[in-house]
Amino acid sequence: MDAEITVTELTADLVPSVVQLCQQALDLPEDAAEAAAIVDVLWTRATADRPVVGLGAYRGADLVGVLICSVSSTEPGIGHVDLVAVLAEQRRRGVGRALLQRAERVLAERGATEVLLAGNPPYYAWPGIDVRYTPAVCAALALGYQQDRTAWNMTADLSYDGSPALRSTEATERRLADQGVTVRRAEPADLPALTAFARSTFGGTWDGELAGSVGRVDAGCHLAERDGEVLGFAAYGSSRPSWFGPMGTAPAAEGSGIGGVLLRRCLRDQRATGLDRAQIGWVGPVPFYSGSAGAWIERVFFLYRRTLPRA
């Protein structure tokens, strides 16, 4: 007979145990390989931005599943489940259900009236549930979550010198320089101008992602400017070392080639860290990334939501 499942709130000293479980429980190799970075961004770093709670499911003394959830810092009443990981041999035995039900109560206690199984920017590891994590999809549907969006990542091949993702940008950079445009690596002193540009041009929550990219190990950002005015930026590594984004170009500079230059500069940086593939996360303009870097749609995510019952 199975020992009863006990779900408790986890303390920060258990981060290494959570990482170890995720390394075992995340089925996709690219997720398991970045388990430490995923737990760090969702639990450790995200606490600077919003309330975060880690939950552990135990059978007896054994940790068999974990969940990290948080409250949106920009949308009142919205809670997020950011990560669920259950050991393979414990699936379909009530562990995921117990974790999700406890997370709903925890989030409701913190003011949530609706829960999303979707990324909570600027600190997220996936847009939603990768469609290949079938047990997670089944658990969401069994608990009454409704799919309301689909998102996807694109993959850029960094494994060989002739990859379209690594095409030289020198000629375009010379042309831009003739037009008074400078392209360079962003430094921490550039953050105020970068975040102001991102807010005024695109809105959203890119401030945190830019702060998580500029000046961090295995992360970075490149920018284009003219006469001190930012015209565009591209960043990578904020949430996960292998992920590219966000990026944005001023509407007036679209079609100038700035975007492709910034993109491929970042991809070259990522290759220099030893990566042979980069994930372009939560993609909008598919044709741009396909044309500029030969990227293709690979990871597809379902995003779910559920309105919590009134107490």
Side-chain angles (χ1 to χ4, degrees), residues 84-299:
V84 183
V86 178
L87 293 175
E89 65 272 17
Q90 296 290 333
R91 294 171 192 165
R92 303 186 188 278
R93 296 170 63 186
V95 177
R97 176 183 289 268
L99 285 166
L100 282 167
Q101 289 176 331
R102 178 63 177 272
E104 289 179 353
R105 294 196 297 273
V106 164
L107 292 169
E109 290 167 0
R110 287 158 176 77
T113 58
E114 191 171 20
V115 175
L116 276 58
L117 307 183
N120 187 2
Y123 300 100
Y124 70 96
W126 304 272
I129 300 175
D130 188 301
V131 298
R132 292 170 290 179
Y133 284 117
T134 302
V137 171
C138 292
L141 295 173
L143 288 170
Y145 284 82
Q146 301 293 318
Q147 183 188 347
D148 72 334
R149 284 182 288 163
T150 301
W152 46 84
N153 286 3
M154 298 181 74
T155 300
D157 189 350
L158 312 180
S159 66
Y160 65 104
D161 291 342
S163 169
L166 302 171
R167 292 200 316 270
S168 173
T169 58
E170 290 183 8
T172 306
E173 289 189 47
R174 286 197 298 269
R175 176 174 57 78
L176 290 170
D178 290 341
Q179 299 169 5
V181 177
T182 300
V183 182
R184 61 177 176 84
R185 186 181 306 278
E187 304 294 339
D190 296 312
L191 269 175
L194 282 170
T195 54
F197 170 76
R199 280 195 304 269
S200 63
T201 309
F202 308 104
T205 58
W206 284 353
D207 292 26
E209 292 183 70
L210 286 166
S213 297
V214 177
R216 288 185 63 245
V217 175
D218 293 333
C221 178
H222 293 260
L223 64 83
E225 63 183 356
R226 181 164 47 207
D227 298 328
E229 178 186 0
V230 176
L231 299 176
F233 67 87
Y236 65 94
S238 174
S239 57
R240 300 173 55 169
S242 63
W243 283 38
F244 168 87
M247 75 167 293
T249 303
E254 290 179 0
S256 65
I258 285 174
V261 167
L262 294 170
L263 166 64
R264 292 198 296 278
R265 272 176 158 247
C266 289
L267 294 177
R268 287 200 298 268
D269 281 359
Q270 290 181 282
R271 190 198 195 198
T273 69
L275 292 172
D276 60 9
R277 290 155 66 92
Q279 287 284 304
I280 302 168
W282 216 327
V283 170
V286 170
F288 166 75
Y289 291 108
S290 176
S292 296
W296 65 94
I297 297 171
E298 185 168 37
R299 298 194 69 170

Side-chain angles (χ1 to χ4, degrees), residues 14-26 32 35-36 39 63 87:
L14 292 173
V15 164
S17 297
V18 173
V19 170
Q20 184 178 29
L21 185 139
C22 289
Q23 288 170 336
Q24 297 173 309
L26 294 173
V39 173
L63 182 66
L87 293 175

Side-chain angles (χ1 to χ4, degrees), residues 10 30 55 59 81 94 119 122 137 163 204 242 249 272 310:
L10 299 174
E30 58 265 45
L55 299 174
R59 284 197 192 275
V81 172
V137 171
S163 169
S242 63
T249 303
R310 294 183 180 180

